[in-house]
Amino acid sequence: MALKEYKPGTAFPGRMGRTIGESEPAWPSPMRAKPGAPNVLFIVLDDTGYGQLGCYGSPISTPNLDKLAANGLLYTNLHTTALCSPSRSCFITGRNHHSNAMSCITEGATGFPGSNGNIPFENGFLSEILQGQGYNTYAIGKWHLTPSEQACAAGPYDRWPLGRGFDRYYGFLGGDTHQYYPDLVYDNHQVDPPRTPEQGYHLTVDLVDRAIEFIADAKQLAPNKPFFLYFATGANHAPHHVPREWADKYKGKFDDGWDAYRDRVFKRQKELGIIPKTAALSRHDPDVQDWKKLSADERKLYARMMEVFAGFVEHTDHQIGRLIGFLEKLGELDNTLIMAVSDNGASAEGGPHGSVNENKFFNNVPDDLKANLAAIDGLGGPKYFNHYAWGWTFAGNTPFRRWKRETYRGGVADPLLVHWPKGIKARGEIRHQYAHAIDLVPTVLDSLNIEPPEQIRGVTQSPIEGLSFAQTFNDAKAETRHHTQYFEMFGHRSIYHDGWRAVCPLPGPSFTEAKMGFGEMVLTEEKLRELDAKGWELYNVAEDPTETENLAASRRDKLIEMIALWYSEAGKYKVFPIDSRGTLRLVDERPQIAEERKAYVYYPGTQVVPEFTAAKILNRAHSISADVEIPKGGAQGVIVCHGSNEGGYSLFIKENKLHYVHNYVDVAEYRVESPQILPEGKAQLRYEFEPTGKPDPAKGKGVPGHARLYVNGKLAGEADFPVTIPLVIGIGGGLAVGRNSGSPVSQMYSSPFPFTGTIYQVTIDVSGKTAQDPGEEKKAMAKAATARQ
């Protein structure tokens, strides 16, 4: 007798008698995808500019991504939001970033509907839709879509990957991470990397290994069940980490500088048909140094930074090639709809001179050329969190103006490759139709013949705001469906409509011309009116795709129309209020799962506490008390630390002496230590910090202060710290008890440097109370010293 099935929720079609012999069974049908349904693979690159992939004219070797272009389609007119979390929210929901409450990265959320960082459940994820269609769903790599204050062990977990329709997850929840010491999450819990850097570990390799594992796990059991894999590398975001042999492939290839790079790439883009023959290369950016006027040392440093980045890109492409090769081996490649995209233009977070520590950017700390030169031989290795100089950012977005965080096309025009041999007849063709990040989801649903659901888990769904471009797959002349698109990022605004773009740069077309830097302009109502009257530029990008000829004066009528259209779209999609602040948004108060308190108690053996949920000690008086037991013969190791080699603090024992280090964004380590050998047995070890001045976050300076160490209530050491971290300890890394789980906070030890004694608990007190009056303690010490004489 054939097995009888019925749709869950409908009437039972079998027969139930008094005995089994008089009955006929029927089974609820399991969720099955449509026969022959294609797999879906999103490859999301980070901070990868329009001119940084081989198939887009770059001299950087990307044979595997180039192969996708050669056997599929290359799009020249895809746009993003200019920043990572906002773009990623568009890729996965098909709604605009402000509709997703994602005006900024999750760490920059503010208390307004378009900016609170909580992607509404009515904006369903593609993973949730496909999971309901019988797909396995996997997320691998960078997430950055959970509110920063919720990305902790206390949850809630409903906005983690497994809460948004993914069956399995492996990667990192934040905006970036160390490629050798990553902050890894497996499903809903933290894990350590499977190997060390000394054993050859690199995050991108690990991510591909895990992606292959997830697919293989299911395919060996249900080979006909399709999957959706959201594969988001940490590359090519800083830190630009890659084994030296990959960087050394490019030795000498960038010695002629960033302007020469732009010329070569632009010429190649015209040869490939990516850019019209009539297009002009955008101007040399006023914020970028003239390569020919640089010193020999500067050219050497900047060229090496680019060699490292190029090696990083090629290494990433190689790992993607392993994933694609695995799909080909399985026989799944031809029926996998692949979309490879970048989340924004190349990044300028390295500053004009590049950086060996990107955390300086988030704390407004300027880079030092001399220090960067001293680090040249270690670039790409685990010691530094390196990022290239603005010149390479500008070159990486060839042929366009500007970069990530800004809404000129250099910030928002990005690569898009589509590969699906079973569904697309065209091979190696170029498509010029306009598209935006919100168009990926509707294109997938259109290709799979799936209607957007009216509800997901009982939540009525909002309309998808993107438009399918599936009509372009087999018709190069198909009409563009996406006619209008607004942009806004940190107050930098633009609008596209039918071949025209209006742009209102902020603080100006460049920092040099505006005479102020990123995030420095306070956007008041008066300033906004001034910008609307005088600050908008107008470009006919159908004829001038690189935004070189400003028509604002000669086509005032068109400009006024475009400005009005921007305000109409902004009102529709929850863009207001416009917020021009930069990194200062990172310190806005946000609702926490637990109320803020005066004392925070932490325990050994627990998960790392992320930056935005850990006790906030910056720019305030605080103490750290540890109840420990030191065994016979002494102990060593980290008692508590917060941060990484980018910056942070660590309280630890080394050579049986108590130490505290404040790593000021890897510029300096300010230390206080106890000269006495610590006693065996139970002890209370305590660190106190008392501010002695005011912070100046805009200039990268946290409060100076006086630091003290106590052992069992007695003053054991003190020092003055001239400056501390002003804004954030680090986007990567967190607070850990009993070990340093990532890259070492201090150069005085190597990770993980576990504590060899017993830790009962660690208390961080931010009430400002001290152990006892230090003046009285000093008097007591002096009295004791006199008595011994």
Side-chain angles (χ1 to χ4, degrees):
M1 183 173 63
L3 195 70
K4 183 180 287 188
E5 296 182 359
Y6 64 97
K7 186 178 179 180
T10 62
F12 175 68
R15 186 174 71 249
M16 293 183 289
R18 289 175 45 156
T19 66
I20 191 70
E22 297 172 334
S23 304
E24 181 183 342
W27 297 86
S29 300
M31 179 66 70
R32 296 190 185 98
K34 297 172 184 177
N39 308 303
V40 179
L41 168 60
F42 280 9
I43 299 172
V44 181
L45 299 172
D46 206 329
D47 285 4
T48 304
Y50 196 89
Q52 290 181 327
L53 301 180
C55 52
Y56 280 84
S58 172
I60 301 172
S61 178
T62 54
N64 296 291
L65 289 168
D66 295 355
K67 188 176 179 181
L68 294 182
N71 293 317
L73 301 173
L74 182 151
Y75 284 77
T76 66
N77 214 357
L78 182 278
H79 295 78
T80 60
T81 71
L83 205 64
C84 47
S85 298
S87 292
R88 289 158 193 269
S89 78
C90 298
F91 293 152
I92 203 76
T93 68
R95 282 85 167 182
N96 282 296
H97 61 303
H98 291 88
S99 298
N100 289 325
M102 201 68 76
S103 70
C104 187
I105 56 175
T106 58
E107 296 85 357
T110 59
F112 300 96
S115 186
N116 62 38
N118 289 267
I119 301 176
F121 294 114
E122 56 264 33
N123 293 5
F125 282 25
L126 181 59
S127 47
E128 294 171 312
I129 298 172
L130 295 184
Q131 192 178 54
Q133 294 288 327
Y135 276 66
N136 280 128
T137 53
Y138 312 124
I140 296 282
K142 175 173 172 174
W143 182 244
H144 214 197
L145 294 174
T146 300
S148 55
E149 63 274 9
Q150 296 178 24
C152 64
Y157 290 88
D158 52 0
R159 285 186 169 88
W160 288 41
L162 269 59
R164 294 306 310 246
F166 286 102
D167 299 330
R168 305 181 73 180
Y169 173 66
Y170 185 82
F172 58 100
L173 296 178
D176 63 23
T177 195
H178 205 289
Q179 298 287 309
Y180 298 107
Y181 295 104
D183 306 309
L184 286 176
V185 169
Y186 195 146
D187 293 339
N188 279 355
H189 67 281
Q190 294 174 359
V191 293
D192 291 328
R195 295 180 301 282
T196 66
E198 293 75 22
Q199 294 168 328
Y201 181 84
H202 191 282
L203 177 61
T204 314
V205 179
D206 189 15
L207 296 180
V208 172
D209 288 347
R210 200 66 65 175
I212 290 171
E213 175 191 320
F214 284 4
I215 294 169
D217 280 347
K219 285 293 183 182
Q220 66 186 355
L221 299 173
N224 295 326
K225 187 175 184 180
F227 64 82
F228 168 46
L229 171 59
Y230 177 83
F231 182 81
T233 62
N236 297 298
H237 195 292
H240 300 160
H241 280 159
V242 70
R244 190 180 187 96
E245 60 268 23
W246 291 87
D248 285 350
K249 287 184 175 187
Y250 291 89
K251 273 192 174 180
K253 293 191 176 181
F254 304 109
D255 287 355
D256 53 356
W258 34 67
D259 291 299
Y261 178 101
R262 293 184 83 224
D263 290 339
R264 288 198 305 273
V265 171
F266 187 54
K267 179 181 178 183
R268 181 61 179 151
Q269 287 172 339
K270 287 189 172 183
E271 292 170 354
L272 292 169
I274 291 170
I275 294 296
K277 299 286 186 184
T278 56
L281 183 61
S282 59
R283 66 175 183 168
H284 178 95
D285 196 282
D287 289 334
V288 172
Q289 302 165 86
D290 184 339
W291 183 268
K292 295 177 183 177
K293 294 181 180 179
L294 297 173
S295 69
D297 278 347
E298 288 174 306
R299 290 197 297 269
K300 178 182 176 182
L301 171 66
Y302 298 152
R304 183 56 180 174
M305 286 178 166
M306 187 57 188
E307 290 168 9
V308 171
F309 178 78
F312 191 30
V313 173
E314 184 176 348
H315 178 266
T316 303
D317 176 85
H318 179 76
Q319 305 311 320
I320 290 171
R322 288 203 300 123
L323 176 58
I324 294 169
F326 175 72
L327 296 180
E328 191 168 22
K329 182 180 177 181
L330 283 183
E332 297 285 346
L333 182 60
D334 284 357
N335 198 29
T336 299
L337 171 54
I338 301 175
M339 292 184 172
V341 68
S342 174
D343 59 358
N344 45 244
S347 171
E349 286 152 15
H353 306 296
S355 180
V356 297
N357 183 4
E358 193 205 24
N359 197 30
K360 291 182 179 180
F361 167 80
F362 293 110
N363 283 286
N364 298 327
V365 178
D367 263 279
D368 178 76
L369 179 61
K370 184 177 179 181
N372 289 354
L373 275 166
I376 190 169
D377 290 336
L379 296 180
K383 185 177 180 181
Y384 298 109
F385 212 90
N386 49 290
H387 194 304
Y388 54 32
W390 277 350
W392 295 119
T393 309
F394 154 72
N397 293 322
T398 302
F400 303 120
R401 298 175 65 167
R402 301 301 282 176
W403 41 57
K404 173 183 177 181
R405 305 193 314 265
E406 301 182 16
T407 68
Y408 283 115
R409 293 197 70 199
V412 300
D414 284 286
L416 169 65
L417 307 174
V418 178
H419 183 275
W420 184 25
K422 192 170 181 178
I424 301 174
K425 295 177 183 177
R427 299 286 186 276
E429 295 185 9
I430 292 175
R431 297 289 185 264
H432 299 293
Q433 289 87 349
Y434 189 91
H436 186 267
I438 59 176
D439 298 336
L440 269 62
V441 166
T443 302
V444 170
L445 297 182
D446 192 4
S447 302
L448 274 55
N449 197 25
I450 294 173
E451 288 292 324
E454 294 182 3
Q455 291 188 339
I456 293 177
R457 297 175 190 157
V459 178
T460 300
Q461 293 296 286
S462 67
I464 288 178
E465 294 164 359
L467 297 157
S468 171
F469 55 82
Q471 80 280 4
T472 69
F473 284 177
N474 290 307
D475 183 0
K477 297 181 180 180
E479 289 293 320
T480 296
R481 292 176 179 167
H482 199 133
H483 296 284
T484 305
Q485 181 60 48
Y486 82 93
F487 300 84
E488 187 279 331
M489 190 57 60
F490 296 110
H492 201 290
R493 297 175 287 160
S494 60
I495 180 88
Y496 169 86
H497 180 69
D498 285 344
W500 290 84
R501 283 193 103 238
V503 185
C504 188
L506 186 142
S510 68
F511 302 139
T512 299
E513 289 160 303
K515 297 181 180 178
M516 65 177 67
F518 169 66
E520 291 181 19
M521 178 179 284
V522 178
L523 192 59
T524 61
E525 181 65 31
E526 182 181 5
K527 186 64 182 178
L528 183 59
R529 288 198 184 102
E530 179 187 334
L531 287 170
D532 283 341
K534 302 177 182 178
W536 284 87
E537 303 167 1
L538 180 67
Y539 301 97
N540 181 351
V541 289
E543 298 178 1
D544 175 25
T546 53
E547 299 172 320
T548 59
E549 186 179 356
N550 181 7
L551 303 176
S554 61
R555 289 298 312 272
R556 186 73 181 169
D557 58 331
K558 187 67 178 179
L559 179 64
I560 292 171
E561 174 192 327
M562 295 289 281
I563 296 171
L565 185 57
W566 185 90
Y567 273 97
S568 173
E569 295 293 290
K572 185 188 304 183
Y573 295 116
K574 306 177 185 176
V575 175
F576 299 110
I578 304 169
D579 190 346
S580 65
R581 292 175 302 157
T583 54
L584 292 178
R585 290 172 71 155
L586 301 180
V587 295
D588 276 7
E589 287 191 31
R590 300 177 184 87
Q592 302 292 322
I593 303 306
E595 293 182 359
E596 189 169 352
R597 48 202 187 274
K598 298 297 184 182
Y600 297 77
V601 180
Y602 299 105
Y603 301 98
T606 54
Q607 294 190 23
V608 174
V609 181
E611 164 78 12
F612 288 89
T613 53
K616 296 175 175 59
I617 57 93
L618 297 181
N619 301 318
R620 66 198 303 187
H622 62 275
S623 66
I624 302 173
S625 299
D627 295 320
V628 305
E629 186 165 353
I630 299 173
K632 289 185 178 180
Q636 68 171 5
V638 170
I639 298 167
V640 61
C641 70
H642 184 172
S644 65
N645 64 348
E646 299 177 77
Y649 65 81
S650 183
L651 180 68
F652 59 96
I653 295 175
K654 183 177 180 181
E655 297 175 352
N656 287 328
K657 296 178 181 179
L658 184 62
H659 300 262
Y660 176 91
V661 166
H662 183 94
N663 178 343
Y664 175 63
V665 293
D666 202 31
V667 171
E669 287 193 5
Y670 300 116
R671 302 171 180 172
V672 57
E673 61 182 64
S674 167
Q676 297 92 358
I677 298 296
L678 293 173
E680 297 172 354
K682 290 185 178 181
Q684 186 185 71
L685 309 177
R686 182 178 174 92
Y687 164 79
E688 288 185 358
F689 179 79
E690 182 182 355
T692 56
K694 294 182 178 180
D696 189 354
K699 294 184 178 179
K701 296 180 179 181
V703 294
H706 192 67
R708 305 182 189 92
L709 288 177
Y710 292 87
V711 177
N712 293 327
K714 295 184 180 295
L715 184 65
E718 56 186 328
D720 288 310
F721 293 173
V723 67
T724 55
I725 296 172
L727 294 173
V728 289
I729 287 175
I731 298 299
L735 185 149
V737 175
R739 70 197 190 285
N740 188 324
S741 60
S743 56
V745 173
S746 173
Q747 297 177 22
M748 292 183 66
Y749 59 78
S750 300
S751 291
F753 200 41
F755 188 64
T756 57
T758 301
I759 299 173
Y760 296 104
Q761 68 179 41
V762 172
T763 302
I764 298 180
D765 190 304
V766 293
S767 68
K769 292 188 298 185
T770 58
Q772 61 188 78
D773 177 34
E776 292 301 316
E777 178 64 27
K778 285 183 179 179
K779 290 177 184 177
M781 291 178 68
K783 184 176 180 180
T786 303
R788 286 195 298 269
Q789 289 179 3

